[in-house]
Amino acid sequence: MILLIHAIVRIKMSQNNLDAIDRQILTILQRDARLPNTELADEIGLTPAPTLRRVRRLEEEGIIQRYVALLDHKKVGRGLLVLVRVTLDKQTRQGFNDFATQMQARPEVLECYLCLGDIDYLLKVSMPDLDAYQHFLVNTLAAIPGVRNTASTILVKQEKYTTSLPLE
Amino acid sequence: MILLIHAIVRIKMSQNNLDAIDRQILTILQRDARLPNTELADEIGLTPAPTLRRVRRLEEEGIIQRYVALLDHKKVGRGLLVLVRVTLDKQTRQGFNDFATQMQARPEVLECYLCLGDIDYLLKVSMPDLDAYQHFLVNTLAAIPGVRNTASTILVKQEKYTTSLPLE
DNA sequence: CATGAATGAGCAATATCATTGCGCGAATGC
DNA sequence: GCATTCGCGCAATGATATTGCTCATTCATG
């Protein structure tokens, strides 16, 4: 029983109580996920063994969700980025779920958010060019039942892009 | 001289001519950047040596830009995501550069785009909570000279988030 | 205070993995 | 058809990750 309470306390704490070393690790791995553990250990001033154990713990706790490679959009033929604001017709819960499910299935939709305000959904869509986007808009988005209105904004220049969250 | 021409041709081709194996590699590494080279080799049906050489080539060509760890926003105390539309006052080139530069320096601004349409800039901002966001809006954004107007949209639920570009 | 439990670091041995040079075969150009 | 290029596989080497163990430090408790 006491063990259980201890376990609960530890889980709760571990989700928010990152110590300075944890934050260092996360900051570095957000910048370079492939840094060898030995070098990571050097940078934070620990030996490789405890460093690796901390990384594994952060992974298991889901604080580190995954490691990904970021590609050059233009060089893989996806130079066009569009933000789409979508308004749905009937604001029933079912309609919302359907829409989100369809967006999850479309690989060109990189991000999809339910949002507050005068619109319902926000999409970030990756496309090769305007032709392809127009095709997506007409044949995919507008074809979804319940979509009342869409407004597109072409993101001309990416001034900043990072996936790194600041860790106080 | 002929060597130079060859080099130029190869660079140009390499930027767009990804073969099927390259695309397989990129697709996998976009999903799991830490997959050991031996397993990557298994999945694509090559031996480790040529697999690694392809990965290195993709890195050198800048097709793979970098490897990053993605964190759980809530678990690191950044549960609030906001999209901000910014309109600038004077649309001189200098004003635009200044704004972009300031955004690049702010760690809570994850993305910043110059865009077409009725607004000038789009920001994706990561925040701990509404208090912090209000502070950012008043003391940081509104304090920048040239910012005429801002409109914020709170992204309530992340239905989809991926950094993986589809590779035809 | 002293003491015992718990947490987390370091060390060292082992297993896994990355890296490189070399030879071979298939595709390409002349 | 022959030479050249390109990219694969093999094998040896070096680097790196991983694990069990021991020890120091901290913190709660008698």
Side-chain angles (χ1 to χ4, degrees):
Chain A
M1 182 52 182
I2 289 181
L3 272 177
L4 179 61
I5 293 174
H6 269 210
I8 291 172
V9 169
R10 284 198 41 217
I11 290 170
K12 284 205 172 178
M13 288 185 45
S14 66
Q15 286 186 351
N16 259 328
N17 284 9
L18 301 169
D19 66 16
I21 297 177
D22 288 334
R23 288 196 295 271
Q24 260 186 293
I25 291 175
L26 293 173
T27 300
I28 293 170
L29 290 182
Q30 283 191 107
R31 192 165 7 94
D32 180 7
R34 279 204 150 182
L35 193 70
N37 185 56
T38 48
E39 294 179 32
L40 176 61
D42 275 352
E43 284 201 42
I44 65 176
L46 250 57
T47 52
T51 304
L52 186 64
R53 277 189 278 254
R54 276 174 181 265
V55 171
R56 292 283 174 267
R57 200 200 67 222
L58 293 167
E59 289 169 2
E60 276 158 24
E61 287 170 353
I63 294 169
I64 295 176
Q65 289 190 322
R66 46 204 239 272
Y67 303 98
V68 302
L70 300 181
L71 309 187
D72 185 307
H73 290 225
K74 286 180 186 166
K75 289 182 181 170
V76 297
R78 298 245 151 204
L80 184 67
L81 208 54
V82 185
L83 185 96
V84 191
R85 286 161 286 167
V86 179
T87 316
L88 295 191
D89 238 348
K90 41 181 178 183
Q91 303 209 346
T92 66
R93 187 169 182 77
Q94 183 56 36
F96 274 59
N97 281 342
D98 284 354
F99 183 79
T101 304
Q102 297 215 34
M103 290 305 101
Q104 279 154 18
R106 303 228 55 101
E108 61 271 42
V109 176
L110 301 185
E111 303 176 35
C112 173
Y113 301 94
L114 177 63
C115 52
L116 292 181
D118 46 338
I119 48 179
D120 294 333
Y121 278 104
L122 263 170
L123 310 177
K124 186 161 103 182
V125 182
S126 170
M127 281 289 159
D129 50 48
L130 269 177
D131 274 0
Y133 179 64
Q134 190 245 2
H135 188 270
F136 168 81
L137 205 54
V138 174
N139 296 0
T140 303
L141 254 195
I144 294 177
V147 170
R148 186 202 302 176
N149 188 33
T150 70
S152 306
T153 303
I154 292 176
L155 307 180
V156 174
K157 189 180 175 194
Q158 195 168 59
E159 299 283 2
K160 179 171 188 180
Y161 178 82
T162 181
T163 54
S164 292
L165 305 179
L167 303 175
E168 50 268 59
Chain B
M1 182 52 183
I2 288 180
L3 272 178
L4 179 61
I5 292 173
H6 269 210
I8 291 172
V9 168
R10 286 202 37 218
I11 289 170
K12 285 204 173 180
M13 289 185 46
S14 66
Q15 286 186 350
N16 261 326
N17 285 9
L18 300 169
D19 66 16
I21 297 177
D22 288 334
R23 287 196 295 271
Q24 260 187 292
I25 290 175
L26 293 173
T27 300
I28 293 170
L29 289 182
Q30 283 191 109
R31 190 164 6 95
D32 180 7
R34 279 203 150 181
L35 194 70
N37 185 57
T38 47
E39 293 180 32
L40 176 62
D42 275 351
E43 284 201 40
I44 65 176
L46 250 57
T47 52
T51 305
L52 186 64
R53 277 189 278 256
R54 276 174 181 266
V55 172
R56 292 284 173 266
R57 200 200 67 223
L58 293 167
E59 289 169 2
E60 277 158 24
E61 287 170 352
I63 293 170
I64 296 176
Q65 289 190 322
R66 46 205 243 273
Y67 303 97
V68 302
L70 300 182
L71 309 187
D72 184 309
H73 290 226
K74 285 180 187 167
K75 289 182 180 169
V76 297
R78 298 244 152 206
L80 184 68
L81 208 54
V82 186
L83 185 96
V84 191
R85 287 162 285 167
V86 179
T87 315
L88 295 191
D89 239 347
K90 42 182 179 184
Q91 303 209 344
T92 66
R93 187 166 184 75
Q94 183 57 35
F96 274 59
N97 281 340
D98 284 354
F99 182 80
T101 303
Q102 297 215 35
M103 291 305 102
Q104 279 153 20
R106 302 229 54 101
E108 61 271 42
V109 176
L110 301 186
E111 303 177 35
C112 173
Y113 301 95
L114 179 62
C115 52
L116 292 180
D118 46 338
I119 49 179
D120 295 333
Y121 278 105
L122 264 171
L123 311 178
K124 187 162 103 180
V125 182
S126 170
M127 282 287 159
D129 50 47
L130 269 177
D131 273 0
Y133 179 64
Q134 190 246 4
H135 188 269
F136 168 80
L137 204 55
V138 174
N139 297 1
T140 303
L141 253 196
I144 295 176
V147 170
R148 186 203 302 178
N149 188 33
T150 70
S152 305
T153 303
I154 293 176
L155 307 180
V156 173
K157 188 180 175 194
Q158 194 168 60
E159 299 283 3
K160 179 172 189 179
Y161 178 82
T162 181
T163 55
S164 292
L165 304 179
L167 303 174
E168 49 268 59

